[in-house]
Amino acid sequence: MTSSRPTESVQPHNLQALRSFTTALVCFLFWLWPSASIAQSHQTASPVIYIVGSGNDALDRHVTGLLADQLGDEATLMPIRDDQSMIGTDSPVVTIGPVAFSKIRQMNRDAPILALMVEKTFIQGYANRSPGQVSAIYYDVPLVRQALTGKAILPQSRQIALLASTESVEIYEDLIDQLSAYNLQARVFITDSDDQLIPTLVRALTYGDFVLAGSDDAIYNPRNIKHILLTAYRRNKIVIGPSQAYVKAGVLASSYAPFPVMAEMAGTYLQGYLAEGHFPEPDYPGEYRVEANKQVARSLNIPLPERDWIAEQVDELLQSGQGGAE
Amino acid sequence: MSITNYLPENQSRQPRTGLVFRLSLLASAIIGITATTASAAPADQDFNAGFISFGDDIPEVLTTTRLRQPKTRVPGSTTVITGDMIRDLGIMNLYEVFRLVPGMVVNFVGSHQPVTTYHGTVHYEQRRMQVLVDGRTSHKATLSDMDWETMPVPLEMIERIEVARGPNSAAYGINAFLGTINIITRDPADTAGVETRVVSGSRGYLRTFGSVGDAGPDVDWRLTYEKRKFDGFDYQVDGGERFPFRNGHDINSFTYDSRLKFHDQVDLELRTGVVDGTKYNDKDKTAELNPFDDPDIDVRDYYLQSKLNVRTSDRHFFHVMASVENFNRRQPYTISFPDEAVTCLENGTPLFRRDSNRDFPCYPDDAPIAGFAEVDADSEDTRLEFELQDTLIINNDLKVASGAGFRKDTFRSETYFNGRGSNYQSRFFGNLEYTPLSWLTLNAGGNWERTSTTDNSYFSPRLAANFTFNNRHALRFVYSEAVRTPDGFEQNPDWGYTLRNVSPAIYSDLEGRRITTQEAYEVQGWLTLGRDLQEEHIISREISYFGQFPLEQGMLSIEVRGFNDELRDMISGVIQLKDWSVDNNVAIDQKGFEVEAMLEYPGTTLRASYGYLDQDTWYTGEPIFNDDGDVDTVKQQRTTDLLTRMSVRHSGSLAVIQDLPWGLKASSAFYWADEFGRSQFERFDARIAKRIYQSRYTAELAFTMQHYLNRDPELSSDNNIKDHNQFFVEAGVRF
């Protein structure tokens, strides 16, 4: 009877060791498998870049298509629906418009985001707080470029009138410093209420050869634009900027960045992120075109050059003015 | 940083309340783009998101219906003088603006009565140009005269003045014979706030102006007040001696302009104004029957105007305008007479008949004053005017403007009409603008009009072809015809002065007696009273070129007009109590050319205008006889000369406006016109202004000097100024 007891006692010991070995192996394999799997996927599949749309299918499809063309096989663009959670991913996220950016930012403050179709004033604070993690391709047009668009159309112009509120006047500060390089000068006229708008505009029109409209929705909005454009038109003064949409309303011209150019720049930023793990700083696109209202120009007896010529002229002026002040 | 801010410049940035708007803008952009999904294919490399995205939010403001016709398509030469240029050049009076217009001249008759005309053919009565203020006919209803000094148009309120040179009856009716002056005042929406200005200068010049207004979602309005005082010329000359010249004015005017906006497509303009003041007249220059005291004119005018603007679509709009204008002039004065005049009235001898020695036996030079009487030259004209104009833009290449008008002129004057009467005019007009090719625009227009002054109807056509190149150059060929019908006073005068308060009592039998032309004429053979006047005709041919040349740093604009006109049945002659000799008796052939050029550089504007006029004038009326029954060739020649006294061969202007450092702006202008009756006009103006931009206001201080290069009076030897350097200072502020 005694001889059987050691046998009985050994068996459990061996079994325990086997169990421990098996557990360690499984743990090792479990530890090893994801790494191998990820390594394998890196070798065989492109990384995923999430894209959050504006909610408009046409716009989102267009931007996604252009971006996909830019990225090619280097990454896979994966649209995210509203009900999909983004929290936890380390993959870069492209957002279209300020609403999409705000949504993603609220869901995950650590998510790397490349914001498209946002203005500098909107995104700059985020980008400063999260350098390399948040970047953008600015949608608004540099004011100095807009000013030179006016100069290219009215070469005799020298003085630029700017309308601003006390809250928005800051957006013109850099511009005013830059203009002297182009033999231009500007003056800001402050209006903070509806009552002040027209009297201030009338005073501004006596100063400026043209009015430069920045991205300031307190001044340039659907409610005010009618009064501004009609008053300026009656005084034979033109308005430049802030965007293409206002050109249709009656603004004489505005520069704008073409979508393919913005997409190309976004592609470069994403490739940079995938390679280095951080985005370049937000910036403006490198190429702009000009939209112009030919009917308004004709009516004001302003000989309007070809749009391409204006854009080229603006580029030349920018280069001539101390190496470009954008 | 240049800034006009009443808050600290570098105020810390506040949270952007506009963020919500911006987000909503994008949201609406998205909605907008959804609607155009089909057209916005992803493959479209020039996807125009800006247009589509914001299109729903930002209305198209400057629609086709709101845009003015470009100069390359205008059927004729038009000079546009902006209000800014008027103010920058330091022009002190409205009528002086026209010295900037090629072919136009300005001078004075009577007691500093300004007269401005295009291509002469006028002297006392300016009656061959249509003058409109905001679409309202502005010349007096029945005497066809322009009273520039009493017009309720402050210089500060002028948006621009458009002068269409050449006959324009096809658009504006039968009085647009030589051209049309269209004065456009600032829209009440553009003058919200408060503005005031004071200008003081030589010869008692004083002008004070103030305006207050507001622009709101439903109503835009403006109220203005202006006071104009001026002493006119300094002295007159008689027998080599200088005498004081009473010829100034003191005029006050109030105007109210408003626009009621019922709907984005419908608004109603309401305008009204009152003019009150005195025009000083010298007894030796103005008025009839040997005035004893100065026959000053008390001015009390008013007008009411309403205009309903309706835009039914982006391509169709019309307006209905109604206005009433009242010109009320009171001119009472005292006359003196010698015994001999009373004797002449008793025995039926005309008061101004000359004897064989060419003396006036009824008014001997050395006769003592025997009696006095009070007379007046009061008149009151009322014009009632309706107009409907419809514009239909069928497409970008085809535009039709058409309309109808009606005018009733009522006159009340014991002196000029011995009672009251009315004239009626009705008209239909239309113009078709067609651009069959990108480089060709055709205009065909006409005006059919009927007037009770001649009981006739007239058709005035205009045809024009504009060949345009690159939208920068246009070559125009214009053919037009126009008529001018005689005004109510020319056609149906009943001129006479009723003697009242006759003193001393021995002449009481003259009380209430009306002295008419028949009792005052100088030479019976000159009289044309009772003769029916016919319309004047003009056929005008114009070849003109308008071109713009963009330069590296500026812009050069040039307009050249060549013309060849035939004017027939022109009404000339003298309108005086003692000499009523107007008739259709002169023909004119005229040709010439005009140049207008502007060169704009950064901070610098150069402008030049020049007009060359070659007129051939001859007498075509019935023979005029003198007292001996012989043909009075001198009188006939004088009749033709009357139409050429303001026809100058060369005229023009040069102007420069220059921005200077420290907010200074300098300007200078040189105006000249040669071959007036006695001499030529030459004046050099210089102005320096300092503009101050402050937090809530813009102020301006300016100094202007006028230097008369030619020291001889041009038209009348009485139009003299003592100092040929005239100085003016002004101060203005706008809040």
Side-chain angles (χ1 to χ4, degrees):
Chain A
M1 292 294 292
T2 308
S3 61
S4 62
R5 287 169 66 182
T7 306
E8 288 175 5
S9 62
V10 168
Q11 277 183 336
H13 175 77
N14 289 343
L15 186 60
Q16 188 176 1
L18 181 63
R19 282 178 181 165
S20 300
F21 173 77
T22 304
T23 303
L25 183 64
V26 168
C27 288
F28 174 75
L29 289 175
F30 263 90
W31 174 81
L32 196 62
W33 178 76
S35 303
S37 172
I38 291 169
Q40 189 179 22
S41 71
H42 272 262
Q43 290 172 353
T44 59
S46 58
V48 172
I49 296 173
Y50 297 101
I51 184 162
V52 185
S54 61
N56 177 273
D57 289 343
L59 177 66
D60 297 344
R61 277 206 310 272
H62 185 67
V63 173
T64 305
L66 290 170
L67 207 49
D69 290 345
Q70 288 299 319
L71 294 170
D73 297 333
E74 294 179 50
T76 301
L77 278 175
M78 183 174 292
I80 297 176
R81 296 193 306 272
D82 286 346
D83 56 351
Q84 285 183 313
S85 171
M86 272 296 304
I87 296 173
T89 181
D90 288 330
S91 295
V93 184
V94 175
T95 61
I96 302 173
V99 174
F101 173 84
S102 298
K103 187 172 69 178
I104 297 303
R105 181 73 178 176
Q106 284 173 357
M107 291 169 70
N108 184 356
R109 287 172 55 84
D110 297 325
I113 307 174
L114 177 64
L116 304 181
M117 293 189 71
V118 292
E119 295 181 358
K120 183 179 181 181
T121 52
F122 172 81
I123 201 72
Q124 200 168 28
Y126 296 106
N128 289 343
R129 280 189 291 275
S130 307
Q133 182 201 332
V134 172
S135 189
I137 314 298
Y138 297 141
Y139 182 55
D140 54 317
V141 184
L143 285 170
V144 68
R145 177 174 285 276
Q146 293 283 43
L148 294 178
T149 304
K151 176 75 175 173
I153 294 170
L154 284 183
Q156 67 271 32
S157 58
R158 198 172 72 94
Q159 297 187 148
I160 301 172
L162 307 168
L163 280 177
S165 65
T166 49
E167 291 181 5
S168 63
V169 64
E170 187 187 350
I171 67 172
Y172 295 111
E173 201 157 319
D174 291 341
L175 169 73
I176 290 171
D177 295 336
Q178 293 166 342
L179 286 178
S180 59
Y182 308 99
N183 196 26
L184 289 168
Q185 58 190 56
R187 183 178 289 275
V188 181
F189 293 82
I190 299 295
T191 173
D192 275 328
S193 68
D194 290 348
D195 291 346
Q196 292 176 20
L197 178 65
I198 295 300
T200 308
L201 174 62
V202 170
R203 294 202 294 125
L205 291 172
T206 61
Y207 170 83
D209 297 312
F210 64 88
V211 177
L212 176 62
S215 293
D216 178 3
D217 41 68
I219 305 290
Y220 301 99
N221 56 50
R223 188 163 47 88
N224 289 344
I225 194 63
K226 179 181 176 184
H227 303 296
I228 293 171
L229 287 178
L230 285 176
T231 297
Y233 178 75
R234 284 190 287 254
R235 302 294 305 275
N236 261 29
K237 294 286 172 71
I238 65 170
V239 181
I240 299 291
S243 69
Q244 288 168 284
Y246 286 87
V247 176
K248 186 189 176 192
V251 156
L252 187 73
S254 177
S255 285
Y256 70 97
F259 271 81
V261 172
M262 288 192 288
E264 183 182 350
M265 190 172 174
T268 305
Y269 272 46
L270 289 167
Q271 287 160 350
Y273 180 85
L274 293 176
E276 301 174 17
H278 60 86
F279 288 115
E281 290 185 0
D283 206 350
Y284 288 100
E287 181 189 334
Y288 286 86
R289 293 180 192 163
V290 173
E291 190 60 57
N293 192 320
K294 291 181 180 176
Q295 273 195 313
V296 172
R298 252 201 317 269
S299 178
L300 289 170
N301 298 307
I302 294 171
L304 195 64
E306 291 296 321
R307 293 188 303 162
D308 290 344
W309 185 92
I310 299 171
E312 288 170 14
Q313 185 71 10
V314 171
D315 288 337
E316 284 180 20
L317 286 168
L318 280 168
Q319 287 170 5
S320 68
Q322 298 178 346
E326 286 186 36
Chain B
M1 182 179 181
S2 304
I3 192 165
T4 57
N5 188 356
Y6 60 91
L7 291 176
E9 244 178 66
N10 296 316
Q11 189 182 32
S12 62
R13 193 171 175 78
Q14 301 295 316
R16 297 294 302 274
T17 54
L19 178 61
V20 174
F21 165 76
R22 189 161 301 177
L23 297 178
S24 66
L25 194 68
L26 188 71
S28 59
I30 291 161
I31 294 168
I33 215 163
T34 306
T36 57
T37 303
S39 62
D44 182 2
Q45 291 300 298
D46 200 15
F47 179 75
N48 211 334
F51 271 95
I52 301 165
S53 60
F54 301 113
D56 283 356
D57 289 283
I58 301 171
E60 186 179 354
V61 178
L62 298 181
T63 56
T64 315
T65 55
R66 284 195 169 108
L67 294 176
R68 295 189 291 269
Q69 200 177 25
K71 284 196 82 166
T72 50
R73 288 193 177 187
V74 171
S77 301
T78 303
T79 296
V80 178
I81 309 290
T82 64
D84 286 341
M85 174 164 282
I86 293 169
R87 291 178 282 275
D88 284 342
L89 290 178
I91 291 172
M92 295 293 160
N93 299 290
L94 176 58
Y95 49 83
E96 292 184 302
V97 172
F98 302 109
R99 291 196 174 107
L100 293 166
V101 180
M104 287 194 77
V105 293
V106 179
N107 222 300
F108 303 90
V109 297
S111 297
H112 200 276
Q113 175 74 16
V115 179
T116 180
T117 181
Y118 178 62
H119 291 174
T121 72
V122 72
H123 190 229
Y124 263 78
E125 291 79 24
Q126 181 190 305
R127 53 194 176 190
R128 294 189 176 91
M129 290 189 80
Q130 174 68 295
V131 181
L132 302 165
V133 177
D134 296 320
R136 185 180 71 250
T137 306
S138 290
H139 59 73
K140 287 164 70 178
T142 54
L143 298 176
S144 282
D145 203 2
M146 276 305 304
D147 198 345
W148 291 103
E149 289 183 331
T150 63
M151 283 182 72
V153 180
L155 294 175
E156 286 78 6
M157 289 298 101
I158 294 175
E159 188 64 68
R160 67 184 185 280
I161 297 177
E162 298 176 349
V163 180
R165 291 177 280 138
N168 214 355
S169 291
Y172 292 103
I174 54 179
N175 280 334
F177 189 75
L178 295 173
T180 305
I181 296 172
N182 205 346
I183 300 170
I184 295 125
T185 65
R186 284 188 173 179
D187 193 279
D190 301 344
T191 50
V194 176
E195 182 175 2
T196 182
R197 182 172 291 264
V198 178
V199 190
S200 179
S202 299
R203 291 189 277 160
Y205 183 93
L206 175 67
R207 200 167 65 81
T208 56
F209 166 79
S211 82
V212 60
D214 195 14
D218 301 321
V219 182
D220 305 323
W221 64 273
R222 175 184 68 231
L223 184 67
T224 73
Y225 165 73
E226 186 188 36
K227 182 178 190 66
R228 291 197 291 258
K229 285 182 71 175
F230 188 45
D231 292 343
F233 293 110
D234 288 320
Y235 64 89
Q236 53 186 321
V237 174
D238 189 11
E241 284 188 64
R242 294 182 178 186
F243 295 92
F245 194 177
R246 185 178 177 85
N247 64 145
H249 59 260
D250 183 355
I251 301 294
N252 301 285
S253 65
F254 292 89
T255 65
Y256 174 79
D257 298 75
S258 65
R259 182 190 297 275
L260 310 179
K261 292 169 275 191
F262 304 115
H263 183 267
D264 189 46
Q265 306 299 321
V266 181
D267 64 72
L268 177 68
E269 298 173 37
L270 292 173
R271 303 176 191 273
T272 185
V274 177
V275 181
D276 182 87
T278 304
K279 294 190 68 175
Y280 301 116
N281 276 253
D282 196 282
K283 63 184 175 66
D284 295 324
K285 292 290 290 184
T286 317
E288 302 282 351
L289 295 176
N290 285 7
F292 179 74
D293 58 6
D294 293 315
D296 296 340
I297 300 175
D298 183 30
V299 179
R300 291 178 189 176
D301 300 343
Y302 70 83
Y303 68 87
L304 292 163
Q305 179 185 3
S306 65
K307 185 179 175 188
L308 181 69
N309 302 296
V310 180
R311 284 174 289 278
T312 60
S313 72
D314 284 349
R315 295 191 172 273
H316 178 240
F317 64 99
F318 65 88
H319 75 244
V320 182
M321 191 183 74
S323 68
V324 58
E325 287 178 275
N326 198 72
F327 301 91
N328 190 354
R329 307 299 161 95
R330 304 288 126 187
Q331 190 179 19
Y333 59 96
T334 302
I335 62 168
S336 62
F337 52 84
D339 266 334
E340 289 82 350
V342 178
T343 305
C344 286
L345 287 173
E346 287 172 348
N347 63 23
T349 303
L351 287 172
F352 296 96
R353 284 294 297 272
R354 293 176 185 269
D355 60 17
S356 56
N357 296 323
R358 303 292 297 161
D359 292 328
F360 294 106
C362 302
Y363 288 96
D365 284 343
D366 51 356
I369 294 174
F372 299 92
E374 292 176 6
V375 297
D376 71 67
D378 297 351
S379 68
E380 187 170 3
D381 306 347
T382 306
R383 176 189 294 117
L384 186 65
E385 197 169 16
F386 294 99
E387 185 185 85
L388 166 68
Q389 183 173 317
D390 182 273
T391 303
L392 178 63
I393 301 163
I394 297 167
N395 57 49
N396 288 338
D397 299 326
L398 188 60
K399 182 175 164 185
V400 180
S402 58
F406 171 78
R407 213 173 88 186
K408 178 187 178 185
D409 294 337
T410 302
F411 42 84
R412 293 173 290 275
S413 175
E414 181 191 76
T415 305
Y416 295 115
F417 298 100
N418 198 21
R420 61 178 291 161
S422 298
N423 287 326
Y424 302 89
Q425 286 178 211
S426 49
R427 72 187 188 108
F428 298 91
F429 58 92
N431 186 76
L432 179 87
E433 180 191 301
Y434 178 46
T435 306
L437 303 164
S438 61
W439 47 269
L440 175 64
T441 298
L442 302 170
N443 272 277
N447 177 78
W448 179 91
E449 190 155 4
R450 182 169 185 84
T451 174
S452 65
T453 51
T454 58
D455 276 333
N456 249 323
S457 55
Y458 308 96
F459 180 71
S460 305
R462 179 177 60 191
L463 299 169
N466 291 25
F467 296 87
T468 58
F469 311 99
N470 296 332
N471 285 322
R472 295 177 187 170
H473 309 273
L475 188 62
R476 311 185 193 100
F477 296 87
V478 186
Y479 172 88
S480 57
E481 293 181 16
V483 297
R484 183 189 80 86
T485 53
D487 62 53
F489 186 54
E490 285 175 308
Q491 187 70 293
N492 297 304
D494 188 349
W495 195 357
Y497 293 84
T498 302
L499 307 181
R500 294 189 173 89
N501 297 324
V502 182
S503 62
I506 55 170
Y507 301 122
S508 59
D509 56 330
L510 293 176
E511 184 71 24
R513 177 152 182 187
R514 191 163 186 264
I515 311 297
T516 66
T517 298
Q518 293 297 345
E519 291 160 306
Y521 66 82
E522 185 175 351
V523 177
Q524 190 165 24
W526 294 352
L527 293 184
T528 57
L529 271 176
R531 190 173 295 177
D532 248 1
L533 297 175
Q534 302 302 312
E535 72 281 0
E536 301 174 342
H537 287 270
I538 182 172
I539 296 175
S540 177
R541 301 169 190 87
E542 167 185 327
I543 299 176
S544 58
Y545 164 78
F546 170 71
Q548 291 177 298
F549 301 88
L551 309 172
E552 188 178 348
Q553 285 287 311
M555 175 73 69
L556 173 65
S557 307
I558 294 179
E559 187 168 65
V560 182
R561 176 178 193 255
F563 58 92
N564 190 326
D565 301 340
E566 296 170 15
L567 297 85
R568 297 293 181 267
D569 297 326
M570 301 294 286
I571 297 172
S572 185
V574 177
I575 297 180
Q576 289 182 2
L577 189 70
K578 64 178 183 181
D579 180 4
W580 183 278
S581 55
V582 291
D583 200 3
N584 297 96
N585 52 18
V586 173
I588 301 172
D589 281 349
Q590 64 183 18
K591 57 183 181 293
F593 69 95
E594 291 149 7
V595 182
E596 182 180 348
M598 183 178 284
L599 180 60
E600 294 171 277
Y601 272 104
T604 305
T605 300
L606 295 162
R607 187 184 183 280
S609 67
Y610 172 75
Y612 172 80
L613 176 65
D614 180 8
Q615 269 188 347
D616 186 12
T617 308
W618 65 97
Y619 186 80
T620 59
E622 294 180 13
I624 297 175
F625 296 100
N626 59 23
D627 282 341
D628 300 327
D630 300 327
V631 173
D632 192 338
T633 54
V634 174
K635 177 70 173 174
Q636 290 183 176
Q637 182 58 45
R638 188 171 171 230
T639 301
T640 60
D641 292 345
L642 283 174
L643 282 192
T644 61
R645 280 193 287 187
M646 288 188 68
S647 303
V648 300
R649 186 175 293 270
H650 306 281
S651 62
S653 67
L654 288 169
V656 57
I657 301 170
Q658 176 69 52
D659 288 340
L660 299 172
W662 306 299
L664 294 169
K665 179 174 273 190
S667 71
S668 63
F670 175 63
Y671 309 97
W672 85 95
D674 75 346
E675 295 184 6
F676 277 120
R678 302 174 58 87
S679 183
Q680 59 190 19
F681 176 85
E682 289 178 350
R683 198 178 82 191
F684 174 80
D685 290 5
R687 180 178 190 259
I688 181 101
K690 164 74 176 172
R691 194 166 284 173
I692 304 155
Y693 295 95
Q694 287 296 319
S695 59
R696 288 205 175 199
Y697 66 88
T698 301
E700 188 178 61
L701 299 169
F703 172 78
T704 302
M705 187 192 80
Q706 298 175 348
H707 175 70
Y708 288 81
L709 281 80
N710 176 40
R711 307 197 169 196
D712 298 322
E714 301 102 39
L715 270 184
S716 166
S717 60
D718 292 329
N719 295 350
N720 298 286
I721 55 177
K722 287 177 183 170
D723 188 347
H724 289 73
N725 291 317
Q726 306 279 298
F727 303 99
F728 304 85
V729 291
E730 59 187 292
V733 63
R734 161 166 270 285
F735 297 93

